[in-house]
Structures are given as structure tokens and as C-alpha cells.
Amino acid sequence: IGGTQWDEGGTIVNASKQIYKFVLFITDFSNPYFNLDLQPPEYYGPFVHVLVFIPTMFSFIINFFSSLLDPLITVNGSNEIEIALIIRHLMLNIYFCVILIFIFKKLKKMINIRLAIIFTALLLLIPSVNGHALFNLTDIPFAIQYFLAAIYYIDSINDPQKKIKDNLIIGFLFGLVLLIRINAIAFLITLTIFELFTNERIKKKLKTGYSYIRIIQKSLYIYSFSILTWFIGTPSAWKNTINWFLGAYKWQFNQPNKIPTILNGNISYSHEQGPLMLSKWFAYKLPLGILIVFIIAVLLTTKIQNSLFNYSLFFLIYVNLAFLVYRPVFYDEIRHFLFLIPFIVFICSKLLDHMNK
């Protein structure tokens, strides 16, 4: 809770500074404000922060919601700070629903509507998802935005009809992920590695003109456009890009604060997590039914032939191995690892869909 409380204030600081610097870039690029030291919230992606903050900039929106919510006993309609907080969270809910609709449509097209329904239902029934979706302005957007970008990439595998335009769309989606957390750059390469080692047309040596060079070329299109999207959407990095990256590494890859976390009555600190802490937290936080179905799905992997299923397993293994080796700062339960849940849920959904067949 403490971390998300900090994020609320950070959202206001980050969004307001990014908007102000964008305006200054157009009107007064030589303004010394650009040379001031960046504040920690500016090292986090502004995409969702700006999205939820913009409506609170207009007094008529504040006044509308104030009059609408004032009759409720639990809301102080005359408190603009409280009304603005409600609006930001409402915008988060709308954003979450919109991305979930895109995911639903893509899964329906890639596989079938039954799996899309199962996936959506299971995801929404997980407390760590539906709870955080009400207030978490960084980790929930990161989780669903990365999953959306990943399924678009997986859909492009083994499809010779995909053109540069399609790669740019995927690059744009990845750019939005970077605009939430720049440390997602550590995950993007996993899709290229997965495609290099699993592409059926290469394995079967089909004469389609598809090769490792083509895959790498496609990845360069996607990653270049994603970096460009990130840069355009981050005014705080426009003038001192290197300094921004150094600060982002400090705050996103190696958070300096020592924060306590309690698991089953035992206190541990953010810099002192054991190698199995991530697995333990997921064992405690995920519903028992999800854990059982997930274990069965893993045991039946060879019977379920699906690229997104295989990538989901590969991605979960990759993140857990990286956690064992890198030992990142870990606190506030699993909120920084919520991005794993959509992949776990998809594995469960694919098994249930497979059993139905």
C-alpha cells in the first residue's frame, strides 16, 4: 500500500512536469527549467500518468464530478483533491477495460472465442488483478499492456503476410509498454529469441524466403520504433537523455530504498529477498484453483501445441531465472510482478480450452 500511495503523488508530479516540458519544448526550448535535476517520478513512464491526469486539469470536469458525487455520504464533493483522485482512478478503470477488450478480440482472432472468454473471466476473478485495477496506476497498466504487445508479436510469427506496417504497429505497442516502465526493455528481446528458436518455417526448412536474418530485421523495425515511441512520449528525456537513463536505472532497476515486506508473519527487506521469494509470493497470492490448473497445464505441455502457450512458459521461466540471478529489489507483495499473471492465466485458459475440445 505504501508504494502505491507514493505513486499517487508521483503521478501528479510526473504528469504535470511532462506536460509542462512538452509545452516549453514548443514555446521556449532554452528555458532553464529543462536543466533542473529530474525528480524520481519523472523516471517512470508518463503514458498512463498523463492519460489519467489530463481530465483533472479542467475545472468543468472537476465541477461535474463534484456535483455528481456530492450526494454520496462517503464522498466530500467540495474537496477537489478527493474528486481528482476519483477521476484518476476512473480513468484507470476505463483504460484497463479498453486494453482488455483489445486482448479479448486478439485472442478470439488468434484462437477462438471460447478461450477469449475463459481468459477474460479468469483474469478478472483474480483478486490481485481486479483489486489493483482499481487504484494501481503503474503495475496493472504495465501487466496488460505488455501482454497485449506480446500477443501481437506472437501472432506475427509464422505469418508471411505481415508487412512493415504491421511491425510498426507492434513497435508502437511496445513503445507504450516502455512509456509505463522502461525496464520492459529487458523483456522485449525474449520474443525475438523465442521466434528464432521456434519458427516452424525455419525448422522445417520451408522455401518461403523466411530466415534468421528476416527475423532479426523484423525485430530491428519493432524495437527501433518502440524506442522512438518512448522518446517522443518522454519530454523529460529530450534534453538530457543519458542522464535520464542513468536515473531510470537507479530507480527502476535498482530502487535504493530499503522497504520491509511481511510474508506469512516473516519480515524481509526489499534488498534481502531469497531466491525463492517470488515463487512463494505467487503461491500465497494466486487462487488455489489457478495454481492447480497451471501445474496440470505445465505437466501436459507436450499435448498443447500453441505458440502463445509456449511463449508464456518460456517467459515465466526467463523471469524466474532472471530473478534468481539478478535478485531485483522486491517489496509490496507481488505488485511489481503482476505482469506475470496474464501469462499464467493464459496457460490455464489454454488447458481448459484444450480439455473442452
Side-chain angles (χ1 to χ4, degrees):
I1 294 175
T4 53
Q5 287 177 332
W6 185 90
D7 287 348
E8 280 291 342
T11 296
I12 299 172
V13 172
N14 187 18
S16 58
K17 284 182 173 292
Q18 301 288 356
I19 293 171
Y20 184 51
K21 287 182 178 181
F22 174 77
V23 174
L24 282 182
F25 183 82
I26 298 173
T27 60
D28 185 15
F29 184 67
S30 61
N31 194 300
Y33 186 81
F34 273 107
N35 298 320
L36 296 178
D37 291 337
L38 300 179
Q39 295 187 9
E42 292 183 80
Y43 296 118
Y44 292 84
F47 170 47
V48 176
H49 291 180
V50 170
L51 188 68
V52 303
F53 178 78
I54 286 178
T56 65
M57 296 172 61
F58 301 97
S59 58
F60 76 91
I61 296 179
I62 296 288
N63 294 335
F64 170 76
F65 277 94
S66 178
S67 60
L68 182 68
L69 299 174
D70 192 47
L72 300 177
I73 298 176
T74 55
V75 178
N76 182 0
S78 61
N79 188 334
E80 291 189 2
I81 295 177
E82 183 175 348
I83 297 300
L85 180 128
I86 292 173
I87 293 173
R88 288 197 299 273
H89 289 187
L90 178 61
M91 290 297 297
L92 172 65
N93 301 154
I94 293 172
Y95 162 81
F96 177 78
C97 291
V98 169
I99 299 301
L100 203 56
I101 290 171
F102 277 103
I103 291 174
F104 179 91
K105 289 185 175 181
K106 195 63 177 176
L107 290 177
K108 175 185 173 183
K109 180 181 178 182
M110 288 174 62
I111 305 173
N112 59 57
I113 190 171
R114 180 175 57 238
L115 181 136
I117 293 173
I118 294 172
F119 172 85
T120 305
L122 289 181
L123 189 69
L124 291 176
L125 287 172
I126 294 179
S128 292
V129 174
N130 59 46
H132 278 271
L134 297 175
F135 64 89
N136 192 327
L137 295 166
T138 301
D139 303 297
I140 278 291
F142 181 73
I144 59 173
Q145 194 74 52
Y146 181 73
F147 186 72
L148 177 65
I151 61 178
Y152 265 81
Y153 189 103
I154 296 299
D155 188 41
S156 72
I157 294 178
N158 297 323
D159 187 350
Q161 302 303 319
K162 294 293 181 182
K163 302 177 181 178
I164 293 179
K165 180 189 70 174
D166 301 296
N167 293 334
L168 294 181
I169 291 173
I170 298 172
F172 175 72
L173 291 174
F174 276 124
L176 296 182
V177 178
L178 298 180
L179 281 171
I180 298 173
R181 284 190 184 278
I182 192 66
N183 57 14
I185 202 165
F187 301 149
L188 302 188
I189 191 64
T190 63
L191 287 152
T192 301
I193 294 173
F194 177 78
E195 184 174 9
L196 285 171
F197 284 94
T198 64
N199 190 280
E200 290 298 323
R201 298 218 306 286
I202 290 179
K203 289 166 66 177
K204 295 179 180 179
K205 299 180 180 179
L206 299 181
K207 297 179 180 180
T208 58
Y210 213 70
S211 65
Y212 291 114
I213 300 299
R214 287 280 300 276
I215 292 176
I216 294 173
Q217 184 183 47
K218 164 188 156 183
S219 297
L220 289 176
Y221 278 125
I222 292 173
Y223 300 154
S224 297
F225 197 69
S226 66
I227 293 294
L228 178 62
T229 302
W230 163 81
F231 185 75
I232 292 173
T234 311
S236 288
W238 286 353
K239 203 162 187 178
N240 297 297
T241 306
I242 295 177
N243 289 339
W244 189 95
F245 269 109
L246 293 175
Y249 176 80
K250 173 184 176 182
W251 286 97
Q252 291 196 43
F253 287 86
N254 190 30
Q255 222 277 357
N257 296 327
K258 187 177 181 181
I259 303 170
T261 298
I262 299 178
L263 173 61
N264 196 29
N266 299 313
I267 297 178
S268 60
Y269 290 88
S270 52
H271 291 73
E272 303 167 357
Q273 302 295 350
L276 299 178
M277 185 59 71
L278 182 60
S279 301
K280 288 180 180 179
W281 265 114
F282 272 93
Y284 276 97
K285 296 295 289 185
L286 289 178
L288 181 60
I290 293 291
L291 290 173
I292 292 173
V293 175
F294 175 76
I295 292 171
I296 295 173
V298 172
L299 294 175
L300 298 177
T301 297
T302 56
K303 297 183 179 297
I304 305 174
Q305 298 300 320
N306 177 269
S307 293
L308 184 53
F309 180 91
N310 294 335
Y311 173 73
S312 297
L313 280 177
F314 169 72
F315 184 64
L316 292 174
I317 294 170
Y318 169 85
V319 172
N320 276 275
L321 288 176
F323 186 88
L324 290 172
V325 174
Y326 184 62
R327 299 286 184 86
V329 174
F330 184 40
Y331 61 93
D332 279 359
E333 301 179 357
I334 62 170
R335 80 178 183 96
H336 293 120
F337 291 87
L338 289 175
F339 62 86
L340 295 178
I341 292 181
F343 295 96
I344 294 173
V345 170
F346 178 81
I347 289 172
C348 296
S349 304
K350 192 68 182 79
L351 173 65
L352 295 175
D353 178 63
H354 181 76
M355 291 172 63
N356 188 280
K357 291 179 181 179

